[in-house]
Amino acid sequence: MTSSNAKQGLMLAVVYALACWGLWHLSVDQFFLPAGLRVAALIVVPPRLWPYLLLGEYAYFARLRAPMVDTYGLTWAVAGSAVLMPAVMGVVQLHRRMIAARNELWLPSVAAIASAATCLLKLLSIHLLWPTPPDAPMLHQAIVFLIGDFTAILTLAPLALLWIRRAPDARWPRRFDPRTLAAASVLAGLGLGAALLPDHAAPLRAGLLLLMALPAIALTVLHGWRGAAIAVPIWSIVTAISMSTTGRPGSFDADTYHWQQHLALYGTALLALGASLSHYRRQYRTHAHGEQLVLAQARAALHASEAALRHRAQQMRRVGDGIDLSHAQMVQWLHAHGYSRLADSLLHTAEVCSRQFRAQTSMVYPAALEQIGLYLALQTGGISQEWERSYRVLPPRFGGDPCRLSVDLQLAAYRTLTEAVALLLEREPGQMRVRVRCGQQRRMQGLVMTVRLLDPTQTISAATTVLAIERLSARIRAYGGRIECRGGCIRVVLQETVRVSALP
């Protein structure tokens, strides 16, 4: 290790030792902040620097327990100080994979196991190494130590977790949600009220501490484990401030002690709930992102397919223009040489063939749609002639302005509608009516298309329904739409986000 890294490590040891010493003066056995700092430091600091934390821990204990050697013995001062940090290091190390997996459910587990391990080591060192064991029952001591360490860990460890998760997947909005601001304000107000109440108002303070659960739950629901990681430490700090005793580890506040037991349970539940909510939200975001990626790829594929058809239609039109030019030249030559009747016959035949050729070309790709919109493309293109020749499709009814929609969405609607009509013409008897309506709602715009059999007693067969869903679903889903086949009607909805240029 370089000298620069060694200096940083020594600085870390000094800062950690001073922090432990400062927090010890603010602690009692039932709320022992150095235990929380120990876990928080191991969460924030990378394992390669843990030896310096151990050095800082030993320096802190040397300063703390040196005056106690004459009373409790050198063996307790040394052995009792040497085992706590290594034990907690082992607990955090066992959870490294869960920490790396970004599953925050490990935090209550670390808090419970670390507090249980340090509680056990404290009791063993006291009852085995003290010259005179304490008079207090061991079970009472164990619960006090356990609650004190556990609540301290729930106070500082979530803040450390917030720090290490501050950048990679932060989901805090740029502007505070009014719900978040209201919950945080209520939490702060209740906490301030509980902290400022006098000692004789203990029942009212307990009520305010209990009411703090409501905004804490709200923050957890709104922001997952991040909301719990803010609410639980505030709740715990307010509980500690409301203690009627301060200072030495021998102090004890029975009223706050009973509330701390509830806080340990509620805090664990909130952190676990927040971690679960965040986990499922991440899964939902991942799933939603995957769906958006698939839809984007499907739209790109459809766009590429339409571009290829557009290019093919352009080539066909150029071929048609060449044929028309050749016919015109031939007609002109026939007129010039006195074959007027033959020229007129050839001209009529050429015009009929040209119209049919261009109608079929427009069905390959409706180029007119780009200039005049979906509705006129359906009324003037080759598909209109196809429907008229079937004598089964009544004149379509349109509503709204399709030109506000993107060309890609209009093309998708054109393909979907023509294929739906063709499917019913092929597989179902009777006449049908086509309706299309465009519209906009908030930030979405789209259209609704229906193809309905005129006979009210006639229904679309199950085989046709299955075939319609199979053929039309891919394009419909690519544009966030849906298809319904009920009775004698096929109903299709296509939509997209409103373009800025389309806004009124």
Side-chain angles (χ1 to χ4, degrees):
M1 182 176 294
T2 64
S3 59
S4 177
N5 291 337
K7 290 180 181 179
Q8 293 177 358
L10 291 175
M11 182 63 68
L12 174 64
V14 171
V15 171
Y16 176 76
L18 293 176
C20 287
W21 177 253
L23 290 177
W24 180 80
H25 285 85
L26 302 175
S27 302
V28 292
D29 286 345
Q30 67 186 86
F31 186 67
F32 198 65
L33 286 172
L37 179 62
R38 186 181 294 123
V39 174
L42 292 173
I43 292 174
V44 173
V45 175
R48 60 185 175 82
L49 296 178
W50 282 5
Y52 293 100
L53 291 179
L54 186 61
L55 179 62
E57 177 95 351
Y58 290 163
Y60 152 68
F61 273 125
R63 175 65 182 84
L64 177 65
R65 294 187 174 180
M68 305 179 187
V69 171
D70 295 337
T71 305
Y72 301 109
L74 180 62
T75 304
W76 169 80
V78 175
S81 305
V83 294
L84 297 181
M85 177 61 96
V88 179
M89 284 181 175
V91 172
V92 176
Q93 182 62 33
L94 289 175
H95 292 78
R96 295 302 297 184
R97 289 187 178 180
M98 295 181 66
I99 296 174
R102 315 190 75 77
N103 184 354
E104 290 76 19
L105 281 171
W106 57 266
L107 185 56
S109 175
V110 168
I113 299 175
S115 57
T118 54
C119 173
L120 178 61
L121 291 174
K122 287 179 184 178
L123 289 176
L124 289 177
S125 63
I126 288 174
H127 286 272
L128 296 179
L129 302 179
W130 277 14
T132 303
D135 296 333
M138 182 180 292
L139 180 60
H140 175 73
Q141 281 186 317
I143 297 176
V144 171
F145 287 153
L146 186 63
I147 293 296
D149 288 4
F150 188 78
T151 53
I153 294 173
L154 289 186
T155 302
L156 297 181
L159 301 178
L161 184 58
L162 276 176
W163 175 257
I164 65 174
R165 296 278 197 268
R166 65 190 183 280
D169 61 347
R171 297 288 176 181
W172 294 106
R174 293 182 179 180
R175 296 182 179 179
F176 277 110
D177 185 348
R179 299 171 299 175
T180 301
L181 189 59
S185 300
V186 172
L187 183 67
L190 292 174
L192 185 62
L196 295 179
L197 283 176
D199 294 340
H200 60 79
L204 180 58
R205 180 188 296 118
L208 293 179
L209 290 174
L210 182 61
L211 286 176
M212 289 181 70
L214 298 178
I217 293 172
L219 287 174
T220 303
V221 172
L222 289 173
H223 299 289
W225 72 267
R226 295 179 186 276
I230 291 177
V232 172
I234 294 176
W235 203 359
S236 180
I237 291 172
V238 171
T239 303
I241 294 174
S242 65
M243 290 182 184
S244 60
T245 61
T246 58
R248 302 274 66 84
S251 301
F252 183 74
D253 184 354
D255 293 335
T256 307
Y257 172 70
H258 290 300
W259 175 249
Q260 281 182 297
Q261 298 178 42
H262 296 289
L263 175 61
L265 179 61
Y266 300 155
T268 302
L270 281 179
L271 288 171
L273 173 63
S276 299
L277 289 175
S278 295
H279 173 70
Y280 288 113
R281 283 174 181 171
R282 279 195 295 267
Q283 283 191 332
Y284 172 78
R285 285 195 296 266
T286 302
H287 181 68
H289 177 71
E291 284 189 346
Q292 291 176 357
L293 183 61
V294 170
L295 291 179
Q297 292 174 345
R299 291 179 184 177
L302 291 174
H303 181 77
S305 176
E306 293 293 349
L309 292 175
R310 185 176 187 272
H311 178 68
R312 183 177 300 175
Q314 289 175 343
Q315 291 180 327
M316 293 174 65
R317 280 194 294 272
R318 283 195 290 269
V319 172
D321 292 340
I323 295 174
D324 291 344
L325 179 60
S326 299
H327 284 162
Q329 292 175 348
M330 179 61 68
V331 169
Q332 185 178 3
W333 186 88
L334 290 174
H335 275 296
H337 290 78
Y339 300 100
S340 299
R341 182 176 298 179
L342 181 60
D344 293 340
S345 176
L346 178 61
L347 180 61
H348 175 72
T349 303
E351 289 177 350
V352 172
C353 292
S354 178
R355 284 196 299 270
Q356 293 178 350
F357 182 83
R358 295 185 183 280
Q360 293 299 317
T361 302
S362 69
M363 295 180 66
V364 173
Y365 182 84
L369 182 146
E370 299 177 2
Q371 286 79 35
I372 60 179
L374 173 65
Y375 293 168
L376 291 177
L378 289 172
Q379 291 175 312
T380 61
I383 192 63
S384 176
Q385 300 177 17
E386 191 80 12
W387 290 352
E388 289 177 1
R389 283 196 297 269
S390 70
Y391 299 104
R392 294 175 54 194
V393 182
L394 299 183
R397 295 180 179 178
F398 302 121
D401 182 10
C403 295
R404 297 174 63 88
L405 307 177
S406 66
V407 174
D408 287 340
L409 185 61
Q410 293 185 66
L411 280 172
Y414 178 89
R415 302 295 186 191
T416 303
L417 184 61
T418 55
E419 191 165 357
V421 173
L423 184 64
L424 291 185
L425 288 175
E426 176 187 352
R427 302 183 63 88
E428 300 295 331
Q431 292 184 312
M432 62 193 70
R433 167 78 74 182
V434 175
R435 287 186 174 90
V436 184
R437 176 170 293 277
C438 300
Q440 176 182 330
Q441 185 176 13
R442 295 180 182 178
R443 298 292 301 176
M444 300 300 294
Q445 63 183 7
L447 43 81
V448 179
M449 303 179 293
T450 58
V451 183
R452 184 183 300 275
L453 300 176
L454 285 185
D455 187 354
T457 63
Q458 184 181 355
T459 59
I460 301 174
S461 66
T464 304
T465 299
V466 172
L467 195 58
I469 293 175
E470 288 179 353
R471 290 185 180 180
L472 305 179
S473 291
R475 183 177 285 106
I476 292 171
R477 290 176 181 173
Y479 284 91
R482 61 184 183 274
I483 178 173
E484 298 176 357
C485 297
R486 294 181 179 177
C489 176
I490 296 179
R491 184 173 183 268
V492 175
V493 178
L494 296 176
Q495 60 185 1
E496 64 181 356
T497 304
V498 177
R499 298 171 294 166
V500 175
S501 59
L503 291 173

